Amino acid sequence: MTASVPGDQVFSFSDPIPSGRLAIEASAGTGKTFTLAGLATRFIAESDVPVSEVLIVTFTRAATNELRSRVRQRLVDTAAHLAAPNTTDELASHLLAHPDPLHLPRIRRAISDFDSATITTIHGFSTQVLSTLGTMSGVDPDATLVDDTDDLTSQVCTDLIVAKVVGGMNPDWLPPQSKLVSATSRILRTPGILTVPDASDESIDIRSHTITQLANEAAAEIVRRRHNTGTMSFDDILVRLRDALAGPAAEAVAGALRKRFRVALIDEFQDTDPVQWDIFRTLFGQPDSDTSLVLVGDPKQAIYSFRGADIDTYLDAVDPDGQLEVTHRSLATNWRSDGAMLQAVETLLDGSTFGHDSIRFVPVDAAPGHEELRIRGSDEQPIPALSIRLAIGPDIRRT
């Protein structure tokens, strides 16, 4: 099996050092973290970017800890390879093929200064930026950050339903409390989301109009209550930063951050929502920005809206209608699965698209030595690489 990615599109550490915006399309097991760590090492070694001027953003604390560990280890391993050249490592081989007496000192300096690297979640980064804005951000510096607003959401939705009934609304028009909580939580989790149907759409039934109206009312009430009680959610932080970057201090803040970070690497970019992308685009994605912006993600996972992912946001970032030149690369080798598994998945999904015609299934190669490996049972017979269980019957509802 050979990956159907054009040869000039497959990512390689021997490519020119990225500048402008680079979008790297990845699939599960193709080495996203490995790639990010290697790129950070290249910027440090080849472009003399101090580790303090490298920003790496991901979306969970666990991923942040892993990235921090992997980036540091990559620097240590590369320094060892350069000090005693005898390696088949692609990155080290590239650096050795383009020798520069400053490569090793730069990497060693980065290792010693590694605590100054900014490897954080999007919320952690946004909090840092808001703190630099001070009173210009409009954020109460004494506000308490809360990471769970489920109880408040449930309470507000219940209060709102009761108020509507007392106010004379037909109870038959009202949604179940659990459905209203779910809709409200979605609005809070994805700031800036467009809710439908619009009140002017007369083709939609009254119940659908009502849940849209109530969910927006509930979300606004939750934000108001949090403001009055001096609390903020993680999503509040993102909205406040986005709004601050559209204010009078925006250009000064963006300019300062572009000088502070010469490289911005965004991990798991497919999970980015419109508010988060507004922040990244304003800070690092403008045509006049000198910051190299690298976006690494699996576009197929942009269909997972329950995680806040947004297909249109992903497409806007990697294909911005000619406003900014974007280099595209793909990771074409799977380092986890054997060849039989990859062939089975390709047979099942070949020709499929994921939420948009331009997001298609792309087959990948098995890693060297994994092509013929098979998982075997106790009888030493190969276990099927992929099994499909089909549930059929008159009582099973199909969609």
Side-chain angles (χ1 to χ4, degrees), residues 319-325:
D319 188 17
D321 296 327
Q323 300 172 11
L324 182 69
E325 184 175 348

Side-chain angles (χ1 to χ4, degrees), residues 144-161:
T144 301
L145 187 62
V146 292
D147 60 1
D148 186 358
T149 59
D150 290 348
D151 289 343
L152 178 59
T153 302
S154 179
Q155 178 187 338
V156 168
C157 289
T158 301
D159 292 347
L160 188 56
I161 289 174

Side-chain angles (χ1 to χ4, degrees), residues 21 40 47 71 73-74 140 144 165 232 268 274 285 307 345 369 385:
R21 190 185 302 177
S47 298
V71 171
Q73 190 59 51
R74 189 64 166 138
D140 179 1
T144 301
V165 172
M232 281 200 312
E268 301 291 1
R307 295 196 315 209
V345 172

Side-chain angles (χ1 to χ4, degrees), residues 8-12 15-16 22-26 327-331:
D8 61 346
Q9 294 295 306
V10 175
F11 175 83
S12 170
D15 290 340
L22 169 65
I24 301 178
E25 178 178 334
T327 301
H328 292 262
R329 294 289 181 267
S330 293
L331 302 181

Side-chain angles (χ1 to χ4, degrees), residues 12-78:
S12 170
F13 283 120
S14 60
D15 290 340
I17 197 78
S19 61
R21 190 185 302 177
L22 169 65
I24 301 178
E25 178 178 334
S27 298
T30 53
K32 294 189 291 291
T33 303
F34 180 85
T35 300
L36 282 168
L39 279 173
T41 301
R42 281 197 66 191
F43 278 110
I44 289 166
E46 296 179 64
S47 298
D48 193 22
V49 177
V51 71
S52 61
E53 296 180 13
V54 176
L55 169 67
I56 306 179
V57 176
T58 189
F59 288 86
T60 66
R61 292 192 182 100
T64 297
N65 293 334
E66 181 187 6
L67 261 173
R68 180 171 289 277
S69 174
R70 294 280 292 275
V71 171
R72 188 183 188 283
Q73 190 59 51
R74 189 64 166 138
L75 290 166
V76 170
D77 291 345
T78 304

Side-chain angles (χ1 to χ4, degrees), residues 266-293:
I266 313 300
D267 185 26
E268 301 291 1
F269 185 75
Q270 76 279 343
D271 290 338
T272 301
D273 64 35
V275 173
Q276 294 164 356
W277 176 233
D278 277 347
I279 293 170
F280 292 137
R281 175 172 51 199
T282 300
L283 293 177
F284 308 120
Q286 301 302 316
D288 59 347
S289 174
D290 292 328
T291 302
S292 296
L293 178 62

Side-chain angles (χ1 to χ4, degrees), residues 95-166:
L95 294 176
L96 290 167
H98 302 81
D100 186 325
L102 296 178
H103 284 167
L104 185 55
R106 289 169 180 168
I107 293 175
R108 285 175 170 167
R109 184 181 63 203
I111 296 170
S112 64
D113 295 343
F114 193 73
D115 285 347
S116 65
T118 303
I119 303 175
T120 182
T121 63
I122 174 61
H123 297 95
F125 171 69
S126 298
T127 301
Q128 292 179 32
V129 176
L130 284 172
S131 67
T132 65
L133 287 173
T135 57
M136 290 186 295
S137 69
V139 175
D140 179 1
D142 298 321
T144 301
L145 187 62
V146 292
D147 60 1
D148 186 358
T149 59
D150 290 348
D151 289 343
L152 178 59
T153 302
S154 179
Q155 178 187 338
V156 168
C157 289
T158 301
D159 292 347
L160 188 56
I161 289 174
V162 171
K164 294 299 181 182
V165 172
V166 172

Side-chain angles (χ1 to χ4, degrees), residues 335-342 366-376 382-383 385:
W335 300 89
R336 293 181 192 163
S337 304
D338 61 36
M341 174 65 181
L342 298 176
H370 289 192
E371 297 93 342
E372 304 301 326
L373 287 178
R374 294 297 302 273
I375 298 178
R376 298 177 181 272
I383 294 175

